[in-house]
Amino acid sequence: TPRGGGPRVRKPAPNLPGDASGLYLRGQFTIHRNDHSINDLWRQCSNLGSGLEAELQHKVSFLERSEAAGSSGAHQHTRFVSAEGCYSKVALAAGVRFKIAPKQAIGLDIRSTASAVWAGGAVWHCSAATEPDASLLQELAAAGVARRCYLHLPSIQPAVGGASPVEVRDTGCGDWISPECRLCAADPPADGSSIAYYARDGKVHSRRIDSSALALPSPNAHGCHQAAIFHFQEWKKHWDGNADVVDVLSPADTVDPGLAFHVSTAGIRRLRF
């Protein structure tokens, strides 16, 4: 069992209240240490390891029953078994050290108060009321370039205050995950962006963090802060079947240094600065 200074896996977690209690190593963005004991963790999930063949047979059988019942295309049901729960539970039980930090912007609410802007190689989460004009795009790009190469690797979200033990339950998060694999923090904070979770020796604790370094330098009237990635989540479902909501790029666009994107519930708009 990995202990003390042993194998570690660090992952940024979504920055949204509705997911603040989920203690999962999600598939969108999890950074692993290249260590044999970590690389083989997934084998302990039966549907991925020893029971993979049986799981594939279950999926085919489920699909056949769905087709026989008249389901097809987008309305066809499939057998979905999320790996997040089992994998995270196995990692916690093995004593693997990991950190869950809010570094991800997300498209969750259809009537959203936020939008995302990609400019200068960085993702920014801004107020939906913000119009990403040339001035703002240049400001975002300049801030991204200024942070691009910190050789001394400063802490971008330093912990403040002491550690608090976290009770882990099987209710309150991850309805798509089977109950025996759910890992939910009891009594999560209303503002999930202010907390990071740490797993050590099979136990979980939380610490408040200071994310002010992610904000666009003052005065930042646009409320923009930098994120590691943007997860489209519910927004992509809102756009489903409507090709007009996503601007098409030409080959020349892909090498344009002034290319930028604005992502909102209305779609993905190409910008230039």
Side-chain angles (χ1 to χ4, degrees), residues 121-190:
V123 176
W124 296 85
H125 212 207
C126 303
S127 166
T130 296
E131 178 60 33
D133 55 19
S135 175
L136 175 59
L137 292 176
Q138 289 169 2
E139 189 177 355
L140 295 176
V145 168
R147 300 173 177 177
R148 186 167 293 169
C149 190
Y150 283 134
L151 295 181
H152 56 295
L153 295 177
S155 176
I156 203 71
Q157 289 174 303
V160 292
S164 300
V166 173
E167 178 188 352
V168 181
R169 299 176 177 173
D170 61 2
T171 57
C173 71
D175 291 343
W176 64 94
I177 294 171
S178 56
E180 66 271 15
C181 290
R182 284 187 198 141
L183 299 173
C184 309
D187 305 316

Side-chain angles (χ1 to χ4, degrees), residues 200-270:
R200 298 288 187 274
D201 299 329
K203 303 290 185 182
V204 180
H205 68 268
S206 66
R207 296 186 69 178
R208 300 197 70 82
I209 54 173
D210 178 6
S211 298
S212 59
L214 297 176
L216 186 66
S218 57
N220 193 16
H222 313 287
C224 297
H225 62 272
Q226 195 171 140
I229 61 172
F230 180 80
H231 180 22
F232 292 91
Q233 192 145 325
E234 298 302 315
W235 288 7
K236 66 179 182 292
K237 302 173 188 176
H238 183 59
W239 307 332
D240 191 28
N242 185 0
D244 295 334
V245 302
V246 179
D247 284 351
V248 178
L249 295 182
S250 69
D253 288 329
T254 62
V255 292
D256 183 353
L259 182 66
F261 299 98
H262 181 227
V263 184
S264 69
T265 54
I268 305 176
R269 186 157 53 98
R270 179 181 54 196

